């Protein structure tokens, strides 16, 4: 429920392991919830770059294709 705390934890996890796609995926979802389309797109791109064959990357690709 505490979105600000979640953001901090996701950012720490992303910094600790840049090759892990889950933290930027979660940050993308947070950005979408906050109406930050450009931020979400950037985070989704990070997911695809970090783990291109992951389930998160597949969802990120599909979401990117559907965003304006």
């Amino acid at each position: 429920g505490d979105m600000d705390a979640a953001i901090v934890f996701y950012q720490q996890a992303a910094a600790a392991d840049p090759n892990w796609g889950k933290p930027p995926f979660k940050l993308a979802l947070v950005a979408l919830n906050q109406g930050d389309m450009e931020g979400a797109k950037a985070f989704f791109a990070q997911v695809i770059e970090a783990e291109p064959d992951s389930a998160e990357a597949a969802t990120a690709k599909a979401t990117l294709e559907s965003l304006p």
Side-chain angles (χ1 to χ4, degrees), residues 6-51:
I7 291 169
V8 170
F9 286 120
Y10 293 141
Q11 289 172 335
Q12 289 172 344
D17 187 356
N19 295 317
W20 186 23
K22 282 191 192 263
F25 182 78
K26 294 294 188 175
L27 287 166
L29 296 179
V30 169
L32 280 178
N33 283 334
Q34 294 178 337
D36 179 8
M37 292 296 171
E38 294 307 312
K41 289 176 183 178
F43 285 124
F44 281 135
Q46 287 178 20
V47 173
I48 295 165
E49 184 177 327
E51 291 186 302

Side-chain angles (χ1 to χ4, degrees), residues 1-7 10:
D2 186 353
M3 197 61 63
D4 291 334
I7 291 169
Y10 293 141

Side-chain angles (χ1 to χ4, degrees), residues 46-66:
Q46 287 178 20
V47 173
I48 295 165
E49 184 177 327
E51 291 186 302
D53 297 324
S54 69
E56 288 83 7
T59 302
K61 288 175 191 173
T63 305
L64 278 173
E65 290 173 2
S66 71

